[in-house]
Structures are given as C-alpha cells and as structure tokens.
Amino acid sequence: MSVLESVLVALTALRTNLLRSMLTMLGIIIGVAAVITMVAMGTGAQKEVDAQIAALGTNLFMIMPGSFRDHGARMASGSRLKLTEDDAHAIKREVAGVVASAPTSRGAVQIVSGNMNWSTTVQGIDNDYLLARNWEIVEGRVFEAREIRSGTRAALVGATVAEELFGEASIVGQSVRINNVPFQIVGRLGPKGQSMMGYDQDDLVMVPLEAARGRLLGASRAVAKAVSVIMVSVEQASMMDEVEEQITGLLRQRHRLRADQENTFSIRNMSEMVATRAEASRVFNMLLAAVASVSLVVGGIGIMNIMLVSVTERTREIGLRRAVGAKPRDILTQFLIEAITLCTIGGAVGVLLSVVIIMVTSNLTGWPVELPFQVIVLAVLFSAAIGVSFGYYPARKAARQDPIEALRYE
Amino acid sequence: MTLLSFDHVSRRYSVGGSEVHALDDVSVTIDAGEFVSVIGPSGSGKSTFMNLCGCLDTPSDGRVTIDGVDVAGMGEERLSELRNERIGFVFQQFNLLARTSALDNVALPLIYSGVKRKARHIEAMRVLERVGLGEWANHHPSQLSGGQQQRVAIARALVNEPVLILADEPTGALDSHTSAEIMCLFQELNGQGISIVLVTHEQDIAAASSRKLNFRDGKVLSDERIEQTLFLEPGLEATA
C-alpha cells in the first residue's frame, strides 16, 4: 500500500469523525501557535537588544573619574582628580589593542535656529568618539583634524535635534546658536535609538572637544584639559580583560597613586553589561518557548488519547482489514499516518493562527516581533514528530491485534 | 483437484493455564468447486476450523494446505498475502466500513493487493453488478437493507477472485426471506465454479450445500454428501 493511499485512507477516517478530529487538533494548534508566537516575540526582543549592542559600539570601556576617600570620608565621584585629554591619548598610545580612545565632556545647552529652539546635550568629542561608538554620519562629514585641534565652532547634529529644528530639510552648512555661541553644522548623525537606560541617544549635538570646553562648558581651573568620560574601544572581545588591566596600571601611574591608594577612576565594561542583558533576554526567551512547548506536549498527549480511543472503537475494522489482506505494518502505517496527518494539519493551522496573533499584538502594542521562516518550518516538522511519537504506541497496539479476536470484538 | 487439505490437524489453546483442544486430529480434504457446510454446536471447533481455512490461524500440529500452499509456520505477512489473494470472507455482521460507499467497501481488498485507484473502482463496480447492486455503488451501508449489505460483503469477498469463499453464519443477521436470497446467490456463485465453505448452525441453511461436515468436540463427527436443496429466485419458497 502506497503512502499516498495511506494518507487518503487516513483523511477519510479523520473526516468520518470530523468534530473529534478538530478538537484533537486544537491541542496541537494552540501548542504550535504558542511556541511560534513566543519565539517571534523573543526574537523581536533579541533583535532590539542586538541593535542596542551595535549602537553602543563594539568592545567598549567607559572610564569615569571615580570617587575617592579622603581621611575616611567618601567624596562624590569626580570631585578631585580628573581624567584629562592626555590620559586618553596616553591610553591610545601605550596600551596595545586599543582602537580608539575618546575623551569627551558633556553638558546641557540650549540650541537655537531661526525661531526654533531646543534644549539638548552638547558633547565635546574628537573623531575617535565616533569610531568608538560606531556612529555614522548620514549627511555631511566628520570633523577635520584641524577643527579638532583648534576647537572650531563646527557641529554634528543628532537625528532628534535635526528633526526638531529643521525637520526633513538639509542641515549641512546651516548656522545655529548653542548657548548663544554661533556654530556651523557640518554633518547629521545617523540615528541610534533608545539607549539601554531608555534615554534618546539622538538628542544631542557634538562639537570639537576644545570648542565645548572653551566656549560652552567652561574649563576646569583645577585641571586643564579635564574631560568627564573617556570611551575606549578595543580591537577584540578576547583582549578586554588584559586591556582593562593595562589601562588601570597606566592611569594609576599617570595619577601618581601609591600602592595603598584606591583608584581615582572607574572602568566600566559596557559590552559586558549589554552582553549580560542580552544573555538574560535569551534565557527568558528560552523559558517562554519551553513553557509554550509544554502545551505542545499536552496536545500530543491529547492525540495519543484520541488515537487509543479510535483504535479500540475500530477494532472490528482492524480485524476486517486484516482478514482481507492488510499486513500488520499496513495497519501500523494507517494509524500512524492518521496521527501525523492530525498533527501536521494542526501545525499548519497553528502557524496561521500565530501569524494572526503576531500581527495583531504587534499592531496593538507596538512590540517588536520577528518571525523567522525556519521557525515555521521547524514548528510544522516538530508537530509531525509529535504525531509520530505520540501516534506510534496506539498504532502499534492496532497492528498487533489478533485478527480473529478483533473480528469477534463487540 | 484438491483445494483444501487438513492432514491430522490439531489446534490447541492454553486458556488460564490449562490446554484446550479446539481441533483434535482432524483430516479433511475439500475439492475445488465444492459447496461445503460446516455445522456443530458452539465450542465444537467449527470456528477454529474456519479460521484455519481462512489463513487467520495456523495449526499446532499437522498440515493445512490451501491451493497447494502449506500454511504451517507462515508469518503474519505471508498469511495476510495469502488471505488477500485466495480467500474471500463473508461475516454474520457484514463488517462493512461505515460512512464508506458500497463501491469503496468492495474495493477494500484491492488496496492491499496494490491495485491503482481507478482500476480498483472498475473492478469493484464489475463485482457489484454481478451481485445485482450496480445501482447502489455510491450508497453507504446505513442506506442499504441487511440483504443488500450482505451482498456488498459478498461482492467484497469476490473482488480478488478468490479460490475459496468462507462464509461465517452469513444469514445469521437476516430474516428468512432475505436469507433465502443470499443462499440463492451463494448457489449461483457455486454454480459458476467458486468453492464455498459455509459455517452455520441452521440445518435448512446447511441444506443448500452439497456436503455437510458435522463437528463435535474438536473432531469431525460426520462428513456426508447430501442432496442440495435449491434456493430459488427471491419471492419463491425454498423447495426440496
């Protein structure tokens, strides 16, 4: 008996008990829909985290002036010894594996263009900062080395600020006043979206560090060339630990700390933080998928239950089929294919249902969802596998029946 | 020509630890073209005899040869094939598949002999016409009378052109009028050269055959050739 023949026989049998077949399928439908929906939402969330990682920049350290202890009293961070631009340059010069070491300072400013104004953050940078953060320019250009050196009044504008002040219009060459100081826009920054902490990373303007210090933020009198943060980007993730150690050593030496003194700065491994978050979201996704799979297994048990009932109910049919020439394996195949057909149809309907659910939820809630094609294929294959594993026992029971007994069954 | 031969055949079952001799040293031969009735009270071994004839069972001792093939020691697979090719079954309860057309019911054995769907339907239609139900091919069993259902079952038994038809109380669920019709059909088929073994406990049904095997306690009590009572066309009383 051919497989096609078996499928036809199975479909006929399923049609004769239509309501029961549908109810049995419902278990699989719900299970498959649950798994796919969970995976889709998980994948969407994962994508978002991945995007955040990419937006942050690769293998990133953030070095900040740390708190320190003065005769037992802990002082606020940044209150005494500051990081300087020279520290940043020294790191790049002396630590192997550092791709970019960007000194930056930031502060709140008011930016005005024509009759529009906007409160935002100004960030004093050099081009290493854009490198460290993988930040792209979508219009115009980055600062020239000359502009960095001399602290030219040039500005790169973040996507949000550009939108607020100029809308869709081209902004390169436009003049703006930042805290009443005229600057000329040289480029528009690509969008980065929300940061991990939830603030809008595109709500800022960047100016050369020297210009920020000299004209906007005011230079510290205590330490010339002081910066608030140094961003360091490392060539490879595997080098992070060693680079961290070397930076620590270098900065301690530069800040003339004795062996018994605490660090006056703190180094944060940003990539690690994001990686931890990504890992947490991955585990959470797997947990969701696992819970959803449980419903699929319950659906499988439903299939097994109904198949067992069906085998008992159709004992005489089995006896008859055996009498007219069905071999045990023909009977096995028939019932197995019935179970697989139930599951596969259920799986297919489940896929459709999940697509509907996903579209509706993502429209209503705006949750990011991503439905990888492989997941659909996998879900259908998986439900067929459930058909095989939960259908095998009832099918074997059917195939092993003694035809004489089966024919006599009342 | 010998169709079926039982050579010192025994069949034992163990029921709850003790052995039951369902058939005890039975030797019988049945020739092609015979119409044999098997009678006896329940527990006499006629069902076991029937199961052995139909390759549903194998003997504990002795040899059963069907159409020249020795069934002893055959596996389930071979037995299934043998049943499919050479035996046609007719049961008391018809055993038709519910919610399946008469045509598909008749075509069922052909599925297992690997005949293609189209050819199956042509063949099944031919046999249905032979039993006079050509117009009922698309009806489900529930839409047919008892007699018609049994005719469908007979058509199913005939569809693979078996060497032997085994009928197990084929009139047990039918009224006397319909029974006569069915027996008439059997005699007609026998007249066309088909061998029939009929199990019954009704003497007047057994009278349709030309040979009567009487079983008692697992043995053949008597084996006699009898004058065949002809069952006539529907509407007429059976006559001696």
Side-chain angles (χ1 to χ4, degrees):
Chain A
M1 198 156 106
S2 73
V3 173
L4 182 68
E5 206 75 71
S6 306
V7 172
L8 285 177
V9 170
L11 283 176
T12 313
L14 295 179
R15 210 178 40 216
T16 20
N17 261 317
L18 197 58
L19 181 65
R20 185 201 284 180
S21 304
M22 305 260 265
L23 287 175
T24 312
M25 261 188 253
L26 202 56
I28 294 292
I29 292 173
I30 292 173
V32 167
V35 169
I36 293 185
T37 309
M38 287 306 146
V39 169
M41 290 186 172
T43 314
Q46 191 73 51
K47 276 255 158 120
E48 207 171 48
V49 172
D50 288 348
Q52 281 176 2
I53 295 176
L56 181 75
T58 39
N59 310 328
L60 211 60
F61 283 118
M62 189 163 126
I63 307 172
M64 291 169 301
S67 60
F68 76 107
R69 215 190 294 262
D70 189 16
H71 298 108
R74 192 170 280 281
M75 313 300 270
S77 85
S79 54
R80 199 169 74 180
L81 273 174
K82 296 215 166 170
L83 294 170
T84 64
E85 218 179 315
D86 295 334
D87 286 335
H89 296 320
I91 288 171
K92 189 168 186 184
R93 207 168 48 237
E94 290 176 33
V95 179
V98 169
V99 176
S101 177
T104 83
S105 285
R106 57 194 300 157
V109 291
Q110 176 93 358
I111 178 166
V112 179
S113 162
N115 58 356
M116 308 292 285
N117 75 88
W118 188 247
S119 281
T120 185
T121 305
V122 70
Q123 183 136 24
I125 61 158
D126 65 12
N127 283 333
D128 262 16
Y129 184 79
L130 299 175
L131 187 62
R133 298 283 323 265
N134 287 344
W135 214 317
E136 284 178 3
I137 304 293
V138 290
E139 188 191 339
R141 56 170 176 83
V142 298
F143 298 128
E144 287 166 7
R146 174 180 51 81
E147 293 170 328
I148 299 280
R149 255 197 321 276
S150 59
T152 309
R153 286 169 297 169
L156 293 171
V157 179
T160 304
V161 178
E163 175 90 4
E164 291 296 335
L165 294 183
F166 303 100
E168 296 299 313
S170 170
I171 59 170
V172 172
Q174 299 271 9
S175 280
V176 289
R177 297 173 77 81
I178 304 176
N179 280 4
N180 262 335
V181 181
F183 276 77
Q184 189 174 42
I185 297 175
V186 297
R188 185 204 282 258
L189 293 162
K192 282 272 190 189
Q194 263 189 10
S195 79
M196 273 193 297
M197 321 301 175
Y199 66 84
D200 181 2
Q201 300 181 85
D202 299 319
D203 187 4
L204 88 175
V205 284
M206 295 184 185
V207 299
L209 183 57
E210 194 56 47
R213 209 164 33 211
R215 301 176 189 274
L216 299 175
L217 304 176
S220 157
R221 283 186 196 160
V223 186
K225 293 188 171 181
V227 293
S228 49
V229 171
I230 299 176
M231 289 284 197
V232 176
S233 155
V234 179
E235 210 175 302
Q236 279 170 16
S238 58
M239 303 164 86
M240 294 292 277
D241 288 343
E242 200 191 329
V243 168
E244 183 171 354
E245 213 167 286
Q246 286 192 34
I247 291 174
T248 309
L250 178 69
L251 289 181
R252 284 186 68 87
Q253 187 193 352
R254 286 181 62 85
H255 292 185
R256 299 194 179 83
L257 298 174
R258 289 191 310 270
D260 62 329
Q261 277 178 309
E262 283 182 48
N263 285 345
T264 49
F265 52 89
S266 67
I267 303 182
R268 245 194 255 171
N269 187 334
M270 299 301 282
S271 306
E272 207 163 66
M273 283 171 61
V274 182
T276 308
R277 216 184 102 117
E279 177 65 18
S281 107
R282 205 176 60 81
V283 169
F284 189 64
N285 290 345
M286 279 174 62
L287 217 64
L288 279 180
V291 170
S293 314
V294 169
S295 63
L296 204 48
V297 171
V298 172
I301 294 170
I303 296 272
M304 180 137 127
N305 189 12
I306 284 303
M307 290 309 294
L308 281 172
V309 170
S310 170
V311 166
T312 310
E313 255 184 18
R314 285 153 71 194
T315 303
R316 281 176 81 95
E317 179 191 328
I318 294 166
L320 172 79
R321 285 179 186 272
R322 292 297 315 278
V324 302
K327 296 168 185 166
R329 79 178 131 88
D330 291 328
I331 302 292
L332 183 89
T333 318
Q334 183 190 333
F335 280 92
L336 207 51
I337 286 185
E338 257 177 53
I340 296 173
T341 308
L342 265 180
C343 287
T344 314
I345 294 176
V349 175
V351 167
L352 292 182
L353 181 64
S354 68
V355 170
V356 172
I357 293 176
I358 287 165
M359 278 178 5
V360 169
T361 41
S362 74
N363 273 342
L364 289 185
T365 64
W367 280 347
V369 286
E370 184 82 24
L371 185 51
F373 182 67
Q374 306 93 289
V375 171
I376 294 178
V377 175
L378 212 66
V380 173
L381 285 182
F382 190 58
S383 51
I386 281 198
V388 174
S389 43
F390 286 96
Y392 184 76
Y393 174 71
R396 199 189 58 161
K397 201 178 159 203
R400 284 193 173 179
Q401 276 184 358
D402 178 29
I404 299 170
E405 297 283 322
L407 277 168
R408 217 181 285 152
Y409 184 84
E410 293 294 331
Chain B
M1 200 191 92
T2 305
L3 173 67
L4 198 67
S5 114
F6 277 57
D7 188 11
H8 298 288
V9 170
S10 297
R11 182 69 176 95
R12 295 180 297 272
Y13 299 102
S14 51
V15 178
S18 63
E19 277 213 329
V20 178
H21 282 255
L23 272 193
D24 191 7
D25 196 26
V26 170
S27 294
V28 175
T29 57
I30 293 171
D31 288 335
E34 276 196 277
F35 190 161
V36 180
S37 57
V38 177
I39 58 170
S42 55
S44 62
K46 62 184 197 306
S47 294
T48 308
F49 177 74
M50 177 85 178
N51 291 339
L52 285 166
C53 290
C55 304
L56 286 165
D57 203 356
T58 50
S60 309
D61 277 320
R63 272 160 53 95
V64 174
T65 321
I66 290 158
D67 204 21
V69 184
D70 186 356
V71 300
M74 264 188 187
E76 290 276 2
E77 299 261 311
R78 263 310 274 138
L79 284 175
S80 301
E81 279 172 22
L82 210 57
R83 285 198 294 271
N84 184 246
E85 288 162 12
R86 316 204 178 182
I87 315 283
F89 287 92
V90 179
F91 304 95
Q92 180 177 0
Q93 296 299 338
F94 324 135
N95 280 344
L96 298 175
L97 298 185
R99 283 173 266 195
T100 307
S101 71
L103 191 70
D104 283 330
N105 263 296
V106 173
L108 187 66
L110 295 172
I111 291 181
Y112 298 108
S113 38
V115 180
K116 293 264 183 304
R117 194 179 167 82
K118 245 209 180 101
R120 279 208 308 263
H121 282 166
I122 292 168
E123 193 63 20
M125 197 60 209
R126 195 179 57 76
V127 189
L128 265 180
E129 275 163 4
R130 192 166 155 194
V131 300
L133 286 180
E135 287 163 24
W136 299 83
N138 292 319
H139 288 68
H140 290 185
S142 58
Q143 297 165 314
L144 300 174
S145 72
Q148 285 172 322
Q149 290 187 50
Q150 194 58 299
R151 276 167 192 272
V152 173
I154 292 169
R156 181 180 63 198
L158 285 171
V159 77
N160 253 352
E161 290 167 355
V163 292
L164 173 66
I165 284 189
L166 284 172
D168 188 359
E169 305 264 11
T171 58
L174 302 174
D175 61 51
S176 60
H177 179 76
T178 320
S179 297
E181 277 179 31
I182 295 297
M183 291 320 294
C184 177
L185 177 59
F186 274 125
Q187 285 186 330
E188 199 183 308
L189 293 171
N190 183 236
Q192 292 163 9
I194 294 171
S195 317
I196 297 170
V197 171
L198 170 82
V199 174
T200 183
H201 60 265
E202 291 174 76
Q203 289 294 345
D204 55 337
I205 295 295
S209 68
S210 57
R211 182 180 171 191
K212 204 152 74 171
L213 281 176
N214 195 348
F215 275 80
R216 190 69 44 93
D217 299 327
K219 292 178 191 295
V220 180
L221 190 69
S222 67
D223 178 0
E224 49 185 343
R225 309 221 160 247
I226 56 168
E227 182 99 1
Q228 204 168 6
T229 305
L230 285 181
F231 285 73
L232 297 178
E233 285 301 312
L236 297 173
E237 284 302 304
T239 51

